[in-house]
Amino acid sequence: MKIAFIGLGNMGGGMAANLVKAGHQVNAFDLSPEALARAMENKCAVYDTVQGAVAGVDAVVSMLPNGAIVDSVYSTDVIGHAPQGAVFLDCSTIDVDTARKVTAAAVAAGYAMVDAPVSGGIAAANGGTLTFMVGGTDEAFARAEPILAAMGKAVIHAGTSGAGQAAKICNNMLLGASMIATCETFKLAEKLGLDLQTFYDISSKASGQNWSMTSYCPVPGVGPQSPADNGYQGGFATALMLKDLKLAMAAAQSVDAEVPMGEKAAALYEAYADGGAGGMDFSAIIKTL
Ligand code: NAD
């Protein structure tokens, strides 16, 4: 297929390279010359406008920073410029309302579109092992699935338009809250005189077990290898966790949902990021406790 890829940053760069490896012809556009240079190394065709990149393609994939940018790129340069009938896949993490609005505009103009945010970080983007949660009609999902499968290990249809974004922010709200709960638990265990490896051996087989503990332990030297063992570098940045928690708080407000644990997690991550730790892995919040 001919695919336009817009936004080839930390995540999109590797994703576009995997589309090329799967045999697709990829037209790349990004505002950053560094991103375009990497795209060229990865055998993408490089364009200096979005409109140039989307001309004559079967599909458009985007991996952009936020909803305002996604809205502006699609409404100005993709809708009406990509060939009629093309399918659009926005893999960025954005708010549910913007995802639905952009899809409705695309569908009204004769396109198919899905929101397809990802779970997994830069390593998964490079390695083609992302998990995609997809919102859209059955027909749009059927068209998007083989394209997403070339960039990930799992592609799950979450529901209608916006459902992919809803699943993503619900999952990450749970992750943010469970990471902080795991961090404070290890600190309490330490203050109570428990050996942390022994506590891990107990809790990882007891009812406190959770992903933040057994797959991403915030304590160095305990559990599997994680960013804690690497000075809290790499992994999932605090700033990105805060972005997702803010999206979750806005979504909760829009449907009048009570999310007291999510609110607390958002406030703690905001304070930590404001203190200059936005680039640290999100498990580094243990250092504040
Ligand atoms: P990034 O900042 O590295 O990449 C974004 C790219 O978009 C940049 O190269 C930037 O130049 C480009 N861009 C910005 N405005 C543009 C425009 N108008 N037209 C074309 N290109 C434009 O960010 P990232 O880490 O790759 O994240 C991308 C998306 O993926 C975000 O929505 C983020 O929340 C989500 N995400 C990131 C991670 C992660 O671990 N980094 C994990 C899951 C989801």
Side-chain angles (χ1 to χ4, degrees):
M1 284 173 90
K2 272 193 185 173
I3 302 175
F5 204 110
I6 306 166
L8 297 95
N10 288 323
M11 297 291 290
M15 292 164 69
N18 285 323
L19 289 177
V20 173
K21 279 184 207 148
H24 298 296
Q25 182 186 319
V26 177
N27 294 351
F29 176 79
D30 195 293
L31 296 176
S32 145
E34 292 78 27
L36 288 181
R38 181 178 167 213
M40 215 186 288
E41 275 169 27
N42 287 326
K43 302 191 173 56
C44 298
V46 166
Y47 285 79
D48 56 9
T49 62
V50 175
Q51 293 184 17
V54 303
V57 299
D58 306 295
V60 177
V61 181
S62 50
M63 194 55 164
L64 292 161
N66 60 49
I69 294 174
V70 168
D71 190 4
S72 140
V73 165
Y74 277 92
S75 58
T76 313
D77 289 321
V78 178
I79 294 172
H81 299 282
Q84 276 284 316
V87 60
F88 302 158
L89 299 75
D90 179 40
C91 299
S92 329
T93 303
I94 67 169
D95 60 287
V96 176
D97 290 345
T98 301
R100 288 186 176 141
K101 180 186 147 198
V102 175
T103 294
V107 168
Y111 302 98
M113 183 162 190
V114 295
D115 49 290
V118 306
S119 177
I122 298 163
N126 290 338
T129 58
L130 294 165
T131 294
F132 290 92
M133 23 208 133
V134 188
T137 62
D138 289 344
E139 191 233 341
F141 177 76
R143 292 182 63 193
E145 190 179 21
I147 299 171
L148 296 171
M151 302 184 283
K153 67 172 174 6
V155 183
I156 300 162
H157 194 184
T160 54
S161 175
Q165 298 296 348
K168 164 85 186 174
I169 58 174
C170 285
N171 180 72
N172 279 21
M173 184 178 82
L174 179 57
L175 173 62
S178 72
M179 176 55 79
I180 294 171
T182 302
C183 290
E184 70 186 22
T185 299
F186 274 103
K187 294 308 274 188
L188 175 62
E190 186 175 43
K191 289 199 166 181
L192 292 173
L194 286 169
D195 173 72
L196 293 187
Q197 181 62 51
T198 305
F199 174 66
Y200 176 90
D201 293 342
I202 295 166
S203 194
S204 62
K205 290 178 191 64
S207 48
Q209 187 276 336
N210 71 91
W211 186 91
S212 295
M213 175 187 287
T214 51
S215 294
Y216 210 95
C217 191
V219 181
V222 177
Q225 190 75 16
S226 70
D229 300 307
N230 186 32
Y232 299 98
Q233 300 300 314
F236 185 47
T238 292
L240 287 171
M241 172 49 83
L242 177 59
K243 170 191 170 181
D244 293 354
L245 286 168
K246 284 183 170 172
L247 289 172
M249 292 309 99
Q253 207 169 14
S254 75
V255 293
D256 205 15
E258 275 183 44
V259 287
M261 304 296 281
E263 267 172 26
K264 188 72 187 173
L268 289 169
Y269 273 111
E270 184 153 31
Y272 188 43
D274 284 352
M280 300 291 287
D281 180 73
F282 80 117
S283 65
I285 201 162
I286 194 169
K287 294 199 273 184
T288 67
L289 298 165

